[in-house]
């Protein structure tokens, strides 16, 4: 019984190894890029404009700083499109009605500390 199990396990390992070897042999051809293909830096690839609120009860302000009036509050999951940046403050336009009732399209400033930028991915 033990020898039969070892034999089956050996066959499974050999099958996996052969499949991996075939994949590795084909990989260089599949990954080769034309000589004229431009290279891009990671910073250039992340151009996603959407920022999502990560805190609860975050002030949505008329200007970039705590000395500006709060026009409402945002909660975790509220999101908007980045319009501008001033130091550690991001100006966003709400993509949808906020949880506290602020209308879609409302613009305001939020501290960068309470926001997270989406990461765009290209799946080819």
């Amino acid at each position: 019984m033990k020898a039969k199990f070892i034999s089956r396990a050996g066959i499974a390992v050999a099958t996996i190894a052969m499949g991996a070897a075939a994949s590795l042999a084909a990989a260089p051809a599949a990954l080769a890029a034309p000589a004229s293909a431009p290279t891009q830096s990671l910073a250039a690839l992340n151009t996603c404009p959407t920022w999502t609120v990560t805190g609860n009860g975050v002030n949505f302000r008329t200007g970039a700083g705590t000395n500006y009036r709060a026009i409402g509050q945002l909660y975790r999951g509220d999101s908007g499109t980045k319009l501008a940046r001033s130091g550690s403050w991001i100006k966003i336009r709400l993509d949808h009605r906020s949880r506290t009732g602020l209308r879609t399209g409302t613009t305001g400033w939020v501290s960068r500390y309470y926001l997270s930028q989406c990461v765009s991915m290209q799946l080819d």
Side-chain angles (χ1 to χ4, degrees):
M1 170 95 168
K2 193 174 191 179
K4 195 175 198 181
F5 175 74
I6 292 172
S7 174
R8 287 185 183 165
I11 292 170
V13 169
T15 303
I16 292 169
M18 288 185 344
S23 295
L24 288 175
L31 295 176
S36 63
T39 58
Q40 296 178 348
S41 69
L42 290 177
L45 291 176
N46 191 15
T47 57
C48 185
T50 303
W51 291 74
T52 304
V53 177
T54 58
N56 284 320
V58 176
N59 285 321
F60 196 47
R61 298 185 177 274
T62 59
T66 56
N67 54 329
Y68 290 91
R69 180 178 62 85
I71 55 177
Q73 289 191 331
L74 301 175
Y75 283 84
R76 181 172 285 128
D78 287 334
S79 64
T81 302
K82 177 183 170 187
L83 301 176
R85 182 176 190 150
S86 177
S88 63
W89 292 82
I90 306 289
K91 184 178 185 178
I92 62 172
R93 180 179 53 244
L94 294 178
D95 293 337
H96 55 83
R97 189 175 193 90
S98 74
R99 293 183 183 191
T100 57
L102 293 171
R103 294 182 184 179
T104 302
T106 303
T107 61
W109 294 83
V110 180
S111 171
R112 169 69 179 91
Y113 179 76
Y114 300 107
L115 295 172
S116 137
Q117 184 179 16
C118 71
V119 177
S120 55
M121 295 173 32
Q122 182 177 352
L123 303 174
D124 296 338

